[in-house]
Amino acid sequence: MSRVIYRMPGLSWPLLSLLLLWLLPLAASATHIVGGELDLQHKSGNTYSLTLNLYFDAIYGNSGAVRPTLLAGIFEKGTNKYIATVQMPKVSDSFVQYTSPACSIGSLSTRKLIYANNVIIDASVFNKPDGYYVAVENCCRNASIANIIAPGDAGQTYYLEFPAVVRNGQPFIDSTPQIFPPLSDYACRGELFYYDFGGQDPDGDSLAYDMVTPLNGHATPGNPDPGQAVAAPYSLVTWKAGLSTQNQIPGSPTLQVNARTGRLTVRASDLGLFVFGVRCSEYRNHVKIGETRRDFQLLVVNCPANQQPKLQVNVPGTAVPYRFGRDTLRLLPGGNRCLSIRYTDPDPGSVLTMTTRAVNFTGQLPTFTTRTSGTVHAAGQPDTLTATLCFPECTDTKGKVFLLDLIVADNGCSLPKHDTLRVAFTATQLPNVAPQLSSTFPPAPVPVSNANPAVVRIVIGQPYSATLLGTDSDNHALTLTAVGEGFDLAGAGMRFTAQNGAGRATATFVWAPDCGAVAASGTGEGLLVHFKLTETGPCLPLLQERVVRFIVDPVPEPKPFSPSNVITPNGDGYNDFFRMPDLPLDFCDRKFASIVIYSRWGQKVFKSDERGFQWGGQNSGGLYYYLVTYTDGRRFKGWVEVIP
């Protein structure tokens, strides 16, 4: 249910804050906040879903400080004018996972609390060109944070900007980017730490990332829940001496984020718990339309020494090590397309895993034909592991040089260490001539397409047959199939029989349509059948297809309908009765219904629902009129003269 509290005219902000606080249950101070971010997603019409992801210290945090409801304030960005309040109840409570659960430590565990509600963002209210922002204020952060002053007294303001929902008189729909879910990972001092904060934008907007100083706001230990957030500006946390927005965690490199990918990296030099802030801005047509911020924490600890694994690749068919930048593999049809890989790790008992990653191409990756993981330097285990990686016969780089990364990773904590070898290669495949498909179906109109198929007209009750022939000069296996578009061939009485084989495939199609087929074909549009010839070769199969539209016609009328209009009922055996042997034939549900004969004064003198009726007059001469009707609404009128 959507709930937006709009400010009541004439009510002062302090009184409104007291009223809102009175509406909420009392709770303990929300200490030990790890971080969080706001998210606004369009649902339908002018309804949006507003969500706050709040990350809470599950080890040292006071569970009694978790509030059942938080309040979000919405403001105009250009004027800081208050617009609305949104009540956000807690809808989820779960634990944040480690990248490697085996690396978990007892001093680090994070809960993810989700607060959410629907909000109506109407164009009559949210139409200012400068846009709007949402804020939620809370307190307090972990007292053990090492890079800001008085961390236990510091609050957090969750902040998000979004554009007006109307632009140039037209609806302007935007969902904010959703930042990659956080993990409970920690960093090892002196080791490179990496983490993906990259987001996904539902609208396809461009995203850019930068480091920002976390927002403090107005919440304090004495007033940890100020209720409704007040308007910007919001105070910032205070960095300790020597630290800043661009140097939030000491190290070489210091904590930084890739502006395009959102990937965080740091080689921390100091131990401790560090808070940091990342901003994700979204752009549409090179214009910034919104942003969302995430505060989070990183724990830096001393870790056991972990050395980097190593891998070596030999040139196919040789014992010569491959060297990137000097060697380019040339994979030829029928040649050796497999790489021999050796990988090891100086650390005893390391579990190593091999993977691949395409650098500048898409499509099928080479596959390992052997196991890709194992333990080294343990009892009964080898010092060096081996693997074989083979490129598919169908790999074809079309004359370009493709790049493939071979990656070996250990199981070290907090994050695996890697060794990557980039391999450059070109590949060709055997030429493959497309198979040929011929048939006795009539040719399709030009241009040939599904919307412009060949047309076969079949008389109801009369069998129709056609043959198909597929051939392949490469002698690859061929398969002929037939598929009805929106119907089952067997259910419609169609029979398709194929004899498939190498280099040649034949098939027969037979159909004797009945009235059920007429009903299935609708209003004269017929039934579409796709006849396909598929080549099964070592590479991507080449497909040939014929599309045929089958239309069922009634049996042709033997001659034009022109009944006799004079009878002489005198008993001489000649022309004594009025009959209509040349009535239009019945065609499924289009059948003869009845004939009615009227006198010249409109009196009904005869009626029959039999197609083979006969009428011998009324024992008196004169002119009479008849009306013949069919079940599909067709009507035939005429007259007949009776001469005694």
Side-chain angles (χ1 to χ4, degrees), residues 264-286:
L264 288 168
T265 54
V266 64
R267 191 185 304 273
S269 58
D270 295 356
L271 299 174
L273 181 65
F274 300 90
V275 66
F276 62 91
V278 175
R279 173 170 53 193
C280 176
S281 301
E282 59 175 330
Y283 293 80
R284 188 174 300 179
N285 298 324
H286 307 289

Side-chain angles (χ1 to χ4, degrees), residues 130-187:
D130 288 337
Y132 301 83
Y133 63 90
V134 184
V136 176
E137 297 197 59
N138 212 341
C139 191
C140 297
R141 299 179 187 269
N142 288 68
S144 58
I145 294 174
N147 56 341
I148 62 175
I149 294 175
D153 296 339
Q156 177 172 355
T157 298
Y158 308 90
Y159 182 86
L160 174 148
E161 295 179 3
F162 66 95
V165 295
V166 61
R167 182 169 292 186
N168 299 324
Q170 299 297 319
F172 191 83
I173 296 174
D174 176 59
S175 294
T176 57
Q178 296 177 302
I179 301 177
F180 190 87
L183 301 175
S184 277
D185 294 340
Y186 53 90

Side-chain angles (χ1 to χ4, degrees), residues 332-614:
L332 302 176
N336 189 335
R337 302 173 78 92
C338 296
L339 301 179
S340 296
I341 305 171
R342 297 170 57 84
Y343 54 107
T344 188
D345 192 312
D347 297 321
S350 287
V351 178
L352 305 180
T353 303
M354 285 292 309
T355 57
T356 60
R357 179 180 60 209
V359 178
N360 64 342
F361 67 96
T362 58
Q364 186 178 6
L365 289 171
T367 56
F368 287 96
T369 60
T370 57
R371 59 183 300 187
T372 57
S373 64
T375 304
V376 295
H377 302 300
Q381 300 295 329
D383 293 342
T384 302
L385 302 173
T386 61
T388 301
L389 180 72
C390 296
F391 292 81
E393 288 291 333
C394 300
T395 301
D396 190 348
T397 63
K398 308 295 184 183
K400 299 179 180 179
V401 177
F402 282 3
L403 302 177
L404 176 75
D405 282 346
L406 308 181
I407 306 166
V408 60
D410 65 14
N411 62 332
C413 294
S414 69
L415 296 176
K417 283 195 172 180
H418 302 84
D419 186 25
T420 301
L421 176 62
R422 180 159 294 179
V423 174
F425 68 95
T426 63
T428 58
Q429 64 182 28
L430 289 171
N432 185 18
V433 179
Q436 299 298 310
L437 175 62
S438 60
S439 72
T440 57
F441 293 122
V446 178
V448 178
S449 67
N450 287 359
N452 199 26
V455 176
V456 173
R457 307 191 77 95
I458 308 176
V459 175
I460 188 170
Q462 298 183 8
Y464 172 86
S465 65
T467 59
L468 299 96
L469 172 64
T471 58
D472 183 60
S473 60
D474 300 316
N475 207 40
H476 292 153
L478 298 178
T479 303
L480 277 167
T481 58
V483 178
E485 188 172 298
F487 73 98
D488 178 67
L489 265 66
M494 297 178 176
R495 288 190 297 111
F496 181 81
T497 306
Q499 295 80 41
N500 302 314
R504 180 182 175 86
T506 61
T508 302
F509 173 83
V510 178
W511 190 32
D514 56 14
C515 289
V518 174
S521 63
T523 58
E525 295 182 355
L527 298 172
L528 278 175
V529 179
H530 296 257
F531 297 92
K532 299 180 180 181
L533 175 66
T534 304
E535 172 193 24
T536 305
C539 299
L540 294 175
L542 298 175
L543 174 70
Q544 301 294 324
E545 182 177 15
R546 290 292 308 276
V547 183
V548 181
R549 185 186 303 278
F550 294 95
I551 299 176
V552 182
D553 289 333
V555 176
E557 305 294 344
K559 57 184 178 180
F561 173 53
S562 55
S564 173
N565 57 4
V566 175
I567 63 172
T568 57
N570 55 12
D572 62 359
Y574 296 98
N575 204 28
D576 288 334
F577 296 96
F578 177 56
R579 303 182 181 92
M580 290 186 172
D582 298 329
L583 277 169
L585 298 176
D586 291 346
F587 180 55
C588 298
D589 61 347
R590 293 178 289 177
K591 300 178 180 179
F592 173 85
S594 67
I595 180 171
V596 180
I597 300 177
Y598 301 90
S599 69
R600 63 195 304 177
W601 296 281
Q603 180 183 6
K604 180 165 60 176
V605 298
F606 177 79
K607 180 179 180 181
S608 176
D609 56 5
E610 297 292 334
R611 169 184 283 276
F613 74 89
Q614 60 180 22

